Amino acid sequence: MPLTRTQIQQLVRLHGQEILCHEHMQIERVCYQHGVVTTFAHSIRVACLTVWIADRLHLWHRVDLHSLIRAALLHDYFLYDWHAHDGGRHRMHGFTHGGTAMRNAMRDFHLNRVERDSIENHMFPLTPIPPRYLEGYLVTIADKISATRETFSFDRFYKTKTNTCISGK
Ligand SMILES: [Fe+2]
Ligand SMILES: [Fe+2]
């Protein structure tokens, strides 16, 4: 039987607990990613979507669920607002933030190689090196789907910040 939305949320909460509770995730709550969606909410959406895709494609025996959820939650752990005026420092954000997210995540968490690689290369094919693991491809695909939805969502015309699959803002 396919996982329900509630079951997916519970899995993300369970496997992502250490990350979701970290003090630096508070930075993501005040940085906007696409439209009115915060980086925190975006990361949870991506994590939920990776689990949904893995479930619907029956990939349970081929993915490490714990690493998949942690990589998805940390894929945009760059910890700054890329819209902020910064004298051009974030001009290359699209190309550089995977590496920044990976370095920040390594500083704050103990990551395995699947998590490191999936975070660092999630912007493929914008960045040249593809993910090495299936978990990385799921993060990359879920990120693109979520980003497209958030960018073109009607939500962006309303100043609401409740759009997340787990009570994130
Ligand atoms: Fe990203
Ligand atoms: Fe993202």
Side-chain angles (χ1 to χ4, degrees):
M1 188 130 75
L3 288 175
T4 65
R5 184 184 173 91
T6 303
Q7 288 172 321
I8 290 173
Q9 290 171 1
Q10 286 170 345
L11 284 171
V12 170
R13 210 178 282 130
L14 178 71
H15 291 278
Q17 190 178 29
E18 180 194 13
I19 294 163
L20 292 167
C21 294
H22 195 280
E23 60 180 309
H24 288 166
M25 284 302 268
Q26 302 308 313
I27 298 171
E28 289 201 2
R29 286 180 184 267
V30 294
C31 294
Y32 287 92
Q33 184 71 351
H34 308 112
V36 295
V37 180
T38 63
T39 306
F40 186 79
H42 166 73
S43 299
I44 293 172
R45 284 178 170 200
V46 172
C48 289
L49 188 53
T50 58
V51 176
W52 185 87
I53 295 170
D55 181 56
R56 295 314 192 264
L57 296 182
H58 305 288
L59 296 174
W60 293 127
H61 300 296
R62 302 192 54 193
V63 297
D64 171 359
L65 182 63
H66 189 68
S67 298
L68 175 67
I69 290 173
R70 283 167 58 87
L73 288 175
L74 290 169
H75 81 281
D76 279 336
Y77 197 67
F78 45 83
L79 303 178
Y80 57 79
D81 189 337
W82 61 277
H83 303 89
H85 179 69
D86 64 344
R89 199 158 53 92
H90 299 152
R91 203 172 36 204
M92 301 297 281
H93 170 79
F95 300 96
T96 60
H97 76 268
T100 305
M102 195 266 288
R103 285 189 294 277
N104 287 344
M106 282 184 66
R107 180 196 62 205
D108 292 345
F109 305 99
H110 185 73
L111 304 181
N112 63 33
R113 64 180 194 276
V114 173
E115 293 160 353
R116 283 197 304 270
D117 185 82
S118 302
I119 296 166
E120 185 172 23
N121 298 312
H122 80 270
M123 288 303 287
F124 180 79
L126 182 64
T127 51
I129 302 174
R132 189 174 293 177
Y133 306 98
L134 179 57
E135 289 82 350
Y137 279 97
L138 292 175
V139 172
T140 298
I141 291 165
D143 183 39
K144 302 211 176 8
I145 294 170
S146 297
T148 304
R149 273 196 198 154
E150 290 161 8
T151 301
F152 295 104
S153 169
F154 282 111
D155 287 355
R156 66 179 303 147
F157 297 109
Y158 302 97
K159 205 62 182 168
T160 172
K161 293 189 283 180
T162 56
N163 38 11
T164 173
C165 70
I166 296 178
S167 61
K169 290 185 178 170

